[in-house]
Amino acid sequence: MSAVTPLKIAVIVGSTRAGRFGPALADWVVERMARHGGLEPDLLDLAHFDLPTVIDFGAPEPPAVGELGRRLADADGFLVVTPEYNHSFPASLKNAIDLYRSEWNAKPVSFVSYGGISGGLRAVEQLRLVFAELHATTLRDTVSLHGTTDLGPDPGREAAAKVLFDQLTWWAQALRDARTARPYAS
C-alpha cells in the first residue's frame, strides 16, 4: 500500500440513547475529516447494529457482529465519539469493544468526547485503559465539548480537530506500514 492510499478510519458513535448528541457530532467529525484529506471515514453508529450483549460459545455469529467486525478489521484506525455517563463511557460502547479483539490490534484510536463540565474526558481516560488491553495505540490529543452541544464556528475546536487528524494520519500510516511489513503478534 502506498502513502497515497487513503487511510480508512472507523468513526464510532458510542451512545445508543434516544435523543443523543453523538450522531450530530460524528457528522461534524466526518465533514472535517473529509476536508483534512488522506482519511476515508466509515461512520459506524452503534445504534444501527443489533449487537448482542452475550454470544454463547459455539452459537452462530449474529449478522450484525460479523458486519461490524469486518468494518473494524478493514479500518486503519479509529475515532470514537463518546459521551460521558456517570464519569465513564456508555455500556453500548464497552459491549461493542468487547465483542472483538484482533480487529483493534496495532491500530490507533482517537477520541472526540462530550458531556458536562468535563467534556467527556473522564470517559476517554477510562477508554485508554480498555484499548491498551487490546493492543491499540490511543492518541493523547482529543477534541472535547465542555457543557455545550453548539457546533457553530469555534477556532479552538477547529484547531484541536486539525491536530487530532494530523496525529491520526501519522499513526494510522505508520501502523498500517508496520502491519503490512510484518503481521502483529498478539
Side-chain angles (χ1 to χ4, degrees):
M1 294 188 177
S2 70
V4 297
T5 303
L7 297 159
K8 294 179 184 175
I9 305 299
V11 177
I12 302 166
V13 180
S15 173
T16 59
R17 285 185 179 176
R20 63 210 163 105
F21 176 61
L25 185 52
D27 289 343
W28 180 90
V29 166
V30 167
E31 178 184 314
R32 274 137 191 88
M33 193 178 282
R35 278 192 268 164
H36 182 272
L39 301 173
E40 181 182 304
D42 180 16
L43 185 58
L44 304 176
D45 186 338
L46 296 181
H48 299 153
F49 291 88
D50 187 20
L51 298 176
T53 54
V54 175
I55 299 175
D56 292 330
F57 290 109
E61 180 180 86
V65 173
E67 179 189 348
L68 183 57
R70 284 186 293 282
R71 290 170 74 179
L72 294 174
D74 287 346
D76 295 306
F78 308 100
L79 189 147
V80 177
V81 176
T82 186
E84 181 176 313
Y85 295 161
N86 301 317
H87 289 227
S88 188
F89 54 94
S92 53
L93 180 55
K94 180 68 163 106
N95 183 56
I97 293 167
D98 287 349
L99 287 171
Y100 308 96
R101 181 148 191 91
S102 63
E103 291 82 356
W104 307 110
N105 290 170
K107 295 179 183 178
V109 181
S110 56
F111 303 99
V112 173
S113 63
Y114 59 98
I117 194 166
S118 77
L121 293 175
R122 293 178 288 219
V124 169
E125 289 307 310
Q126 291 185 23
L127 282 164
R128 291 181 195 287
L129 298 172
V130 173
F131 280 113
E133 181 62 24
L134 295 167
H135 299 245
T137 300
T138 60
L139 278 64
R140 183 207 171 280
D141 291 297
T142 65
V143 175
S144 60
L145 281 73
H146 300 264
T148 185
T149 56
D150 178 9
L151 292 173
D154 182 327
R157 188 168 44 237
E158 297 292 337
K162 182 186 180 325
V163 168
L164 183 66
F165 297 149
D166 288 348
Q167 291 176 359
L168 182 56
T169 299
W170 190 92
W171 278 103
Q173 186 66 57
L175 292 174
R176 179 170 75 180
D177 291 348
R179 289 189 315 276
T180 300
R182 180 180 12 206
Y184 183 72
S186 58

